[in-house]
Amino acid sequence: MRPSIKQVAHLAGVSIATVSRLLNKPGSVSAETAEKIHRSIAELGFRPNFTGRNLRAGNSRTVGVVVPTLSNTVFAQCLQGIELAARALDYSVMFTTTEYLPQDESAAVELLLGHRVDGVILTVADAGANATLDLLERERIPFVLTYNQLTTEPAGAVPPRASVSVDNRAAACDAVKHLIGLGHRRIQMLSGRFNASDRAIQRYYGYLDAMRAAGLAPLPAIEVERHTLTAATEYQQMMADPERRPTALFCSNDLLALSAMRELRALGMRVPQDISVMGFDGIPVGALVEPVLASVVQPSERIGDVALRTLVQAIEFRSPEAALAEVPPAWTPVPLILPHALRDGGSVAVPAGSSSS
């Protein structure tokens, strides 16, 4: 059986109340008494039940995290940022995934709420029209979005929804402008399903912005499932025909770009000699492949850190103690945009038979 606080008190020769005071307010007992209690805790292997204590206090000091997947290291990096910031602020983290299924978002959030989390950090398919977010707002449960970018308030959303992301549209526009600057004129976007990611849609708008600003005709986006590209017959024929194929692919995420590079090699094409490939995310593995994947770099760990700290502000502002305090509002949910960068890499180059403009 797990050792109890009563056993710790008996071994240390103090009362249960004294042990409790030390655990809850370390400075409330003398150094000599604290040393005896800590020795007893170490000898018995006692672990305080902070969950029970926090629930009695009206909070769990636990936050929930919902991400589409952990197979994409973007979300793993974000989760690391959340975890490190939570540890620094004495919070715990519970997480679950939706596997890019919008219908699973509500179930994922309900699971976390069943464990009495104080708030939720989440990435959803569509932040502008989302029943799960509407529910969280009705229940007054603090939440912060990551990667979802809200440039305007969704209809009926009062107050605005808190989010942390890069400017997906501007970042994609910068990436495509880079390709145009190298001399590419036939640039096509390769994307995950738009209905599973509002980020992909915003990146597509950025692609359109860059193409139209350069007076170029946009090509239809190629939507594929998840992060793997199946070289369908139509795709193979397009790539095999020099008159039809693009000279560059702009991919909505790095895993898709890496998958495209593999598929292109299987079709006998060289990257970047025959076709350039640009990604989006800046995942570390992209810098380890040959050629190095050129990409838009998101500060994913920083996104997680800022999201956790933003959520804790919301939680503590809405705590019973804060509600009783006669102070002006100190927290308002707002979208936060973090800077992006371009990682140059060998996967992009001047197209064959052309020179940089």
Side-chain angles (χ1 to χ4, degrees):
M1 293 181 63
R2 294 177 57 184
S4 66
I5 191 172
K6 182 178 180 180
Q7 290 172 295
V8 172
H10 178 74
L11 184 59
V14 298
S15 68
I16 295 175
T18 301
V19 178
S20 180
R21 282 203 310 275
L22 174 70
L23 295 175
N24 290 290
K25 295 182 179 179
S28 63
V29 301
S30 68
E32 181 182 356
T33 300
E35 184 179 354
K36 289 192 295 183
I37 296 172
H38 284 307
R39 280 202 306 266
S40 299
I41 288 174
E43 183 176 338
L44 293 170
F46 172 74
R47 182 175 292 110
N49 184 3
F50 290 116
T51 301
R53 181 195 71 184
N54 289 335
L55 289 176
R56 286 191 295 273
N59 58 66
S60 65
R61 296 196 72 82
T62 301
V63 299
V65 179
V66 180
V67 294
T69 181
L70 289 182
S71 64
N72 187 339
T73 56
V74 164
F75 298 112
Q77 288 175 275
C78 180
L79 185 59
Q80 179 167 315
I82 292 170
E83 169 64 25
L84 292 175
R87 196 180 307 169
L89 297 175
D90 193 28
Y91 274 76
S92 299
V93 176
M94 291 185 64
F95 75 91
T96 186
T97 64
T98 61
E99 296 304 317
Y100 287 96
L101 298 174
Q103 62 269 29
D104 285 0
E105 290 172 357
S106 293
V109 168
E110 289 289 354
L111 172 68
L112 294 171
L113 296 181
H115 286 274
R116 302 285 296 274
V117 297
D118 294 331
V120 184
I121 296 171
L122 66 170
T123 302
V124 296
D126 182 1
N130 190 286
T132 301
L133 302 184
D134 295 340
L135 170 66
L136 291 172
E137 287 175 338
R138 286 196 304 271
E139 298 291 331
R140 296 193 170 188
I141 296 167
F143 68 90
V144 176
L145 295 162
T146 51
Y147 299 103
N148 297 114
Q149 178 187 355
L150 291 170
T151 54
T152 59
E153 291 185 27
V158 181
R161 288 168 172 167
S163 62
V164 186
S165 70
V166 298
D167 187 327
N168 287 279
R169 185 168 183 166
C173 185
D174 286 347
V176 178
K177 281 182 178 178
H178 180 68
L179 293 172
I180 294 171
L182 290 173
H184 292 279
R185 297 297 177 263
R186 285 184 56 81
I187 304 169
Q188 194 155 26
M189 183 169 177
L190 189 62
S191 173
R193 296 294 181 188
F194 288 152
N195 63 1
S197 170
D198 57 9
R199 287 83 65 204
I201 296 172
Q202 288 163 347
R203 293 166 195 175
Y204 178 62
Y205 290 153
Y207 160 80
L208 294 177
D209 291 342
M211 295 291 283
R212 289 168 177 165
L216 300 175
L219 299 176
I222 302 172
E223 294 182 67
V224 299
E225 295 293 339
R226 298 293 298 264
H227 302 305
T228 57
L229 171 65
T230 300
T233 302
E234 182 181 359
Y235 178 83
Q236 291 177 336
Q237 291 174 346
M238 180 183 70
M239 288 301 173
D241 183 355
E243 298 300 320
R244 294 181 61 200
R245 72 179 181 227
T247 62
L249 286 176
F250 168 56
C251 302
S252 64
N253 62 67
D254 280 354
L255 289 185
L256 190 53
L258 294 172
S259 176
M261 289 169 66
R262 179 199 64 205
E263 295 281 351
L264 291 167
R265 283 193 295 269
L267 294 172
M269 298 180 65
R270 300 167 300 165
V271 176
Q273 293 90 338
D274 298 320
I275 187 169
S276 289
V277 177
M278 169 74 75
F280 196 113
D281 283 333
I283 62 176
V285 72
L288 302 178
V289 299
E290 179 60 37
V292 170
L293 177 63
S295 182
V296 175
V297 180
Q298 298 194 84
S300 289
E301 189 168 329
R302 177 66 176 153
I303 286 174
D305 177 279
V306 173
L308 186 282
R309 295 179 188 277
T310 301
L311 181 63
V312 168
Q313 288 179 354
I315 291 168
E316 297 186 351
F317 175 68
R318 298 187 186 191
S319 68
E321 295 82 0
L324 293 173
E326 294 182 1
V327 294
W331 186 86
T332 301
V334 295
L336 299 174
I337 300 296
L338 301 186
H340 65 275
L342 285 184
R343 179 177 69 202
D344 201 4
S347 67
V348 301
V350 173
S354 177
S355 61
S356 179
S357 59

